[in-house]
Structure formats: C-alpha cells, structure tokens
Amino acid sequence: MGKLHIIDHPLIQHKLTIMRDKNTGSKDFRELLEEIALLLGYEVTRDFPLEDVEIETPLEKMTAKTISGKKVAIVPILRAGIGMIDGLVQLLPVARIGHIGLYRDETTHKPVVYYCKLPSDIDQRFVILTDPMLATGGSACDAISMLKESGCTNIRLMCLVSAPEGVEKVQAMHPDVDIYTCALDRCLDENCYIRPGLGDAGDRIFGTK
Ligand code: PRP
Ligand code: URA
C-alpha cells in the first residue's frame, strides 16, 4: 500500500492554520499555498537517488553528490493544483509541467475530465501530481489513472488537506502511489467537502466566490 506522509513541520502547520481561517483573503491564501508547496517539495524529493561526480573546488579535487535518476514532471489538477506549481518550480526549476483538467460534478461529486496535456516524455519522468484537496479521492484517482495510461510508473501525490475517505480510495486503487499531505481532517460532509477543511480551494485561490 502507498504510504501516507503527514508533514507536520511547525512552519507548515502554522501556514495551514492561516489558510484555513475564513478571514484570509486570496492574496495571502495563494502566497501561503506556494510557500507550503515549496516546503512539501523538500519532503517529496527526500529520497531522490544521488550519484558521485568528480569536481574541483578552488582548493582541490573531490568526489561530490549530485541527483541522478529520472527527471521530474509536475502535474497540477486544474484548477486548484495550479497554486502549488510555483513553489515546486523554485526547487525544481527544469521540471516539465503537465496539466490535467477535472471538475467535480455538483450533484454526483464524480470527477469530469475536460483537459489533459502532458509532456511527451512523461513516461520517463518522476511525476509529482498536485491538488490541495483530497476529498472523495475521485479526482486524484482519475488523474493517476490518466498518468498511468500515459506510461507513468513513478507518481507521488502532493496535497494540502486530505479526508480519510480520499486517502483510503487512493491507497486502494493506486497502492503504488505515496501521498504527501499537511493534514488528515475529520471527515467529508453531505456535499463531499472536507471538514473542518478550508472550503473550496479553487475559489479561495482565484477569488471566484
Ligand atoms: C476540487 C479540488 C480537487 C477535488 C477534490 O476541485 O481541487 O480537484 O475538488 O475532490 P475529490 O477528491 O472529491 O475528487 P473542483 O472539482 O472543485 O474543481 P476546481 O479546482 O476547478 O474548483
Ligand atoms: N474541493 C475543495 O476545494 N474543497 C473540499 O473541501 C472538497 C473538495
């Protein structure tokens, strides 16, 4: 089963609390999401393999470490996943970026695909799939299936707030995918919103409500 990593670093928890507050506006919400994405990126890449290279410092030759292995693709689930790109790109400046467009149908709460554009060599890359909210898990599971259909074999899911239902669904359907989240909240409500959650992430990022 994929591992659930709950990243409880004090800086992340502090920033998340401000994001949850209903009085926090879009500007601060966006900035905090970007900062948290950067901090999460540190954890998501923690086990990247290293290899030795020979270099010369101004004083002598040495054997030093450099990242080896697959290149990275960042794939946000539209819309809200976009808010996590910039923080990650600060850490991984040459990563390619794909986009998967999904929205939840308001009555069935099932995801509907409306866009998919991925780097042509995505099957050769280590993929970080971003979406701040893991609620029922339907969107994440469908996005992971789309990535796998494109040949991806190394996928990690980066979220901000998760519900137990969403975690269970991803772990059941995609046991090879690790989940990185800042919080595991109590439950989903009758509208499949995460409680206590932070509301609608897309609306809060883009100021659409
Ligand atoms: C939100 C969120 C996730 C999805 C999570 O997107 O950003 O993509 O819901 O819910 P799930 O786990 O139950 O599938 P939404 O459908 O509201 O679209 P938006 O980002 O365009 O607002
Ligand atoms: N999507 C959101 O943006 N928030 C939730 O709580 C659930 C789904």
Side-chain angles (χ1 to χ4, degrees), residues 104 133 135 192-194 199-201:
R104 288 202 317 181
M133 310 307 281
C192 291
Y193 270 76
I194 301 173
D200 187 304

Side-chain angles (χ1 to χ4, degrees), residues 21-62:
D21 190 325
K22 66 177 184 181
N23 296 313
T24 298
S26 285
K27 174 182 177 291
D28 289 339
F29 193 92
R30 273 198 294 267
E31 287 173 2
L32 289 161
L33 183 57
E34 181 179 332
E35 289 166 20
I36 290 179
L38 185 150
L39 295 168
L40 282 177
Y42 190 75
E43 295 296 334
V44 170
T45 56
R46 178 174 284 283
D47 61 353
F48 270 17
L50 293 170
E51 65 185 0
D52 288 343
V53 286
E54 304 302 320
I55 59 162
E56 228 175 310
T57 76
L59 302 177
E60 63 178 54
K61 291 186 176 171
M62 73 172 288

Side-chain angles (χ1 to χ4, degrees), residues 1-3 141 144 148 155 167-179:
M1 185 193 295
K3 259 179 92 175
C141 282
I144 294 167
K148 288 183 174 175
I155 304 166
V167 170
E168 274 171 34
K169 183 162 184 157
V170 172
Q171 287 182 329
M173 288 188 65
H174 298 291
D176 55 314
V177 175
D178 277 13
I179 304 169

Side-chain angles (χ1 to χ4, degrees), residues 69-136:
K70 291 185 175 187
K71 296 191 174 124
V72 176
I74 300 164
V75 179
I77 299 179
L78 309 184
R79 291 177 296 168
I82 292 172
M84 302 176 96
I85 298 176
D86 288 351
L88 278 176
V89 164
Q90 285 185 52
L91 286 185
L92 303 161
V94 298
R96 299 244 167 115
I97 299 172
H99 294 86
I100 293 179
L102 289 172
Y103 70 88
R104 288 202 317 181
D105 181 276
E106 278 182 11
T107 40
T108 65
H109 308 301
K110 298 260 184 286
V112 181
V113 184
Y114 62 89
Y115 188 75
C116 182
K117 184 80 181 170
L118 301 172
S120 55
D121 63 349
I122 191 128
D123 56 326
Q124 304 299 319
R125 288 177 180 264
F126 176 96
V127 179
I128 304 174
L129 178 66
T130 68
D131 192 333
M133 310 307 281
L134 180 61
T136 65

Side-chain angles (χ1 to χ4, degrees), residues 7-31:
I7 311 301
D8 60 358
H9 190 287
L11 283 175
I12 291 182
Q13 294 303 317
H14 179 86
K15 290 174 195 292
L16 175 58
T17 298
I18 301 172
M19 293 183 75
R20 287 185 190 271
D21 190 325
K22 66 177 184 181
N23 296 313
T24 298
S26 285
K27 174 182 177 291
D28 289 339
F29 193 92
R30 273 198 294 267
E31 287 173 2

